[in-house]
Each structure stands twice: as C-alpha cells, then as structure tokens.
Amino acid sequence: MAHSVSVSCPSCGVAIEETTAHTRSMACPHCSNWVYVGSNGWEVAGLFEHAIDAPSMLQLGRRGELSDRRFVVAGRVRLSYDEGFWDEWWLEFEDGHHQWLEEDDGVYRLHKNVDADPKVESINGATVGGMVTVDAESWLVTERVDAQVAGVQGSLPVAIVPGESLVCVDVMGKGIKMSIESGDNDIQVSRSWVIRGAEIGWQ
Ligand SMILES: [Zn+2]
C-alpha cells in the first residue's frame, strides 16, 4: 500500500492526511483549494470550478476491478486541445500500484509509467517527423498535441495546475512507442495499450 505523507495545506494550514508518496497535486479536503508541489514546496493554485460534464462510467472515488486487480479512482485530469478534450484518470490499485487510464471519446488506454529522462527542451520543441532525446537516445516523433489543463479532481501524481499548458508527444524507437507529457513542473513518460470499457468491472 501507498505510504501516507504529512502535508500541511499551504492555504488553510490544516494537515492533509489523504496524500500518499505519489501525490504531487490535489484538492485540499478542507478548503478545496487546488495545491501542488512547485519550486518552493507545496503551493496554492486557487479555487476552481470545472465544467467536467461528459458522462463517464469513471468517477472519482468509484471502485472497480481490472484484470483481477481492484482499484479506486483517485484523481482526474481533463485536457483540452484544438479538436476537443480527453480525460486521464489516476487509478490507485490495492496492490499499491498506480496507473493512468486515458479516456478519449469512448476509447480507453491503460498507461504504465516508464522510468525515463526526456530532455525537456527537446520535448517542448518536438515536431512530427523530427527526433527528440530520451535517456541520451534519439526517438522519432509520431504525434504532437498541445493541450491545456482544463480541470483537475482528487489527487494526482503530477504537479499540475488548471490553465497550464502541456506538450503531449508520442515517440517511437527500438520497436516501441512511448507517450511523453511535459508541463511546467513535471514530465511523465509512459507506454500504453487499448483496453475495452467492458473489461472494467464495477463494485
Ligand atoms: Zn486547505
């Protein structure tokens, strides 16, 4: 299980007990301010009202099961871009692991984070057909989407703030594909595969 970590809300000062070692941004359960790990430790982003409207079978706090592993939906990020939006749900599994589940127009992709170190300048300057540097190797860019954080809920493993811009890049090399999301405070690398919505069982 995740270890709990003591954090005092930088806005109201109350100790937040819901954090885990993975938490890097979350809604304070006491004052509702969105707080995140910035360059000076925990910082306040403010209060946000979000129109997170599209119906989804995924909901914050809902418990389910995927490949015989039980999880709870711990957080959510809504990302918007030119052509619409998608959601990334942060699933906390009972076995102590966490994974992102991406939901885009009824298509679900389960992500597994990869421990890799992309060069931030290279990602921010990525162009389709060009190369980026990850772990000192060159990867081919197959897609680039410039997105904005439109909404946040629950607790998240990335320090992310509503309104912030994210560069989302898909890269390919050595026969594998990876996704990279680069924001102001954090960068994440993952591999993903499509799952059917029907594979998720709900309690
Ligand atoms: Zn607070």
Side-chain angles (χ1 to χ4, degrees):
M1 294 304 291
H3 302 282
S4 68
V5 175
S6 163
V7 172
S8 292
C9 173
S11 181
C12 68
V14 171
I16 304 175
E17 314 205 322
E18 289 79 359
T19 49
T20 72
H22 298 280
T23 310
R24 291 187 42 83
S25 58
M26 69 183 301
C28 172
H30 307 285
C31 67
S32 301
N33 275 285
W34 189 254
V35 298
Y36 67 101
V37 180
S39 45
N40 300 309
W42 284 88
E43 297 179 28
V44 189
L47 283 167
F48 296 94
E49 294 284 337
H50 305 300
I52 294 185
D53 46 4
S56 169
M57 62 178 183
L58 286 139
Q59 281 169 28
L60 198 68
R62 197 166 183 199
R63 290 179 181 278
E65 199 175 280
L66 190 56
S67 308
D68 292 327
R69 297 165 67 215
R70 279 144 62 102
F71 66 82
V72 60
V73 180
R76 176 193 200 173
V77 182
R78 160 74 51 97
L79 294 166
S80 63
Y81 68 118
D82 287 352
E83 291 164 42
F85 65 87
W86 76 92
D87 284 312
E88 295 182 357
W89 300 88
W90 184 235
L91 307 184
E92 195 175 289
F93 287 88
E94 270 190 1
D95 58 17
H97 290 94
H98 294 70
Q99 281 180 269
W100 286 108
L101 180 63
E102 176 186 323
E103 179 181 24
D104 188 358
D105 233 349
V107 177
Y108 297 91
R109 296 190 74 90
L110 190 63
H111 286 251
K112 193 173 168 106
N113 279 21
V114 173
D115 191 15
D117 189 19
K119 223 174 165 181
V120 176
E121 317 83 76
S122 157
I123 302 307
N124 292 344
T127 52
V128 172
M131 307 300 280
V132 293
T133 309
V134 182
D135 290 339
E137 289 184 41
S138 289
W139 292 69
L140 175 68
V141 178
T142 57
E143 191 178 5
R144 173 182 174 137
V145 173
D146 288 85
Q148 280 219 316
V149 179
V152 282
Q153 284 184 314
S155 67
L156 299 170
V158 280
I160 225 172
V161 170
E164 157 178 359
S165 298
L166 284 191
V167 178
C168 306
V169 173
D170 285 345
V171 300
M172 208 158 79
K174 298 184 290 189
I176 64 168
K177 279 182 91 166
M178 301 194 300
S179 305
I180 303 170
E181 289 188 4
S182 173
D184 291 344
N185 295 292
D186 270 321
I187 191 160
Q188 287 200 116
V189 185
S190 64
R191 297 191 64 188
S192 69
W193 55 95
V194 173
I195 63 163
R196 287 175 306 113
E199 288 178 53
I200 308 173
W202 295 103
Q203 291 173 20

